[in-house]
Amino acid sequence: DGGITQSPKYLFRKEGQNVTLSCEQNLNHDAMYWYRQDPGQGLRLIYYSQIVNDFQKGDIAEGYSVSREKKESFPLTVTSAQKNPTAFYLCASSVSLGGNYGYTFGSGTRLTVV
Amino acid sequence: EDQVTQSPEALRLQEGESSSLNCSYTVSGLRGLFWYRQDPGKGPEFLFTLYSAGEEKEKERLKATLTKKESFLHITAPKPEDSATYLCAVRFGFGNEKLTFGTGTRLTIIP
């Protein structure tokens, strides 16, 4: 079955450490997105990509980095510059940028700073 | 400031008790309003897209409607399995392909 796979499901980060969240899709979607979800707040866009080797900053990109070397993969690195990284991270994809037919989301990665 | 507001924040209903969730928006040039369902600890699941005032979409016990300033998600005779958080998102403006999400309504259906 086609879908989006995020790993790991749970991740613990020490202070000053960089961590990378994986996102892989086999839907042949062009566009991919990373969102952050915090209690009481709507999903906030971190980065998005329309095509391979191209990506754009979202509303809260500071402290994060991404790459898009393959159509299927869009990993997110949470750097030590991100001061409050504890959150639920969601990766999504859509047929085209904007998602007229809706986004397909992964099951998320819960990141906790220890 | 462009924003999306969902109400109520939480709603508890008895099984079979119909109700509506609201999503109001203050954006210019709406280019799509989206409804998603999210179960605890999981990613949102796409339900509907609405584009113009007067449009309606249905899926099982859910019906989404759209006016010029708000959308309603009507749930008819809900069952416990309809319990979830329902998210609304909008896309607006030209050249802006991002979705702006509301904070969601947490719906609980009591057997």
Side-chain angles (χ1 to χ4, degrees):
Chain A
D1 287 338
I4 294 185
T5 301
Q6 288 189 243
S7 62
K9 189 172 178 65
Y10 299 96
L11 186 58
F12 298 91
R13 191 194 96 166
K14 295 181 180 179
E15 295 284 349
Q17 193 177 44
N18 292 356
V19 292
T20 297
L21 283 60
S22 171
C23 177
E24 303 277 334
Q25 55 102 354
N26 61 2
L27 299 165
N28 199 32
H29 285 175
D30 286 323
M32 297 187 75
Y33 315 82
W34 274 105
Y35 282 88
R36 169 179 172 145
Q37 188 172 35
D38 296 281
Q41 298 194 45
L43 275 69
R44 292 183 289 167
L45 182 64
I46 304 172
Y47 269 97
Y48 62 101
S49 168
Q50 184 176 5
I51 56 173
V52 173
N53 292 324
D54 183 62
F55 45 83
Q56 305 296 326
K57 292 182 179 180
D59 300 318
I60 56 165
E62 185 175 350
Y64 300 97
S65 66
V66 294
S67 63
R68 186 91 186 271
E69 297 177 1
K70 299 185 301 181
K71 186 175 183 178
E72 302 79 18
S73 179
F74 192 41
L76 173 74
T77 296
V78 184
T79 75
S80 56
Q82 172 49 241
K83 297 307 177 188
N84 185 23
T86 295
F88 189 48
Y89 290 86
L90 288 161
C91 179
S93 69
S94 61
V95 172
S96 60
L97 197 66
N100 280 334
Y101 304 102
Y103 290 3
T104 299
F105 280 88
S107 56
T109 293
R110 188 166 297 281
L111 174 62
T112 303
V113 173
V114 295
Chain B
E1 180 183 334
D2 298 316
Q3 61 180 349
V4 181
T5 304
Q6 291 189 246
S7 62
E9 192 172 309
L11 181 62
R12 291 171 62 90
L13 300 172
Q14 293 291 330
E15 184 173 359
E17 180 184 1
S18 302
S19 188
S20 297
L21 314 182
N22 178 263
C23 172
S24 62
Y25 55 91
T26 55
V27 301
S28 302
L30 182 73
R31 294 180 56 229
L33 185 140
F34 302 77
W35 282 99
Y36 290 85
R37 169 194 169 124
Q38 185 175 24
D39 292 303
K42 297 189 177 181
E45 175 188 348
F46 172 71
L47 294 174
F48 306 110
T49 308
L50 301 166
Y51 290 103
S52 55
E55 189 175 359
E56 298 183 354
K57 294 274 180 73
E58 287 190 63
K59 180 180 181 179
E60 297 181 352
R61 294 176 292 282
L62 299 176
K63 183 169 79 171
T65 62
L66 181 64
T67 71
K68 287 187 176 180
K69 288 299 179 186
E70 60 190 348
S71 176
F72 292 94
L73 184 65
H74 307 276
I75 181 161
T76 302
K79 298 181 178 181
E81 55 261 41
D82 294 320
S83 297
T85 295
Y86 291 85
L87 302 174
C88 167
V90 300
R91 189 174 75 208
F92 56 92
F94 289 95
N96 176 8
E97 301 298 338
K98 299 180 294 184
L99 293 188
T100 299
F101 282 82
T103 54
T105 293
R106 189 173 65 255
L107 177 65
T108 303
I109 308 300
I110 305 163

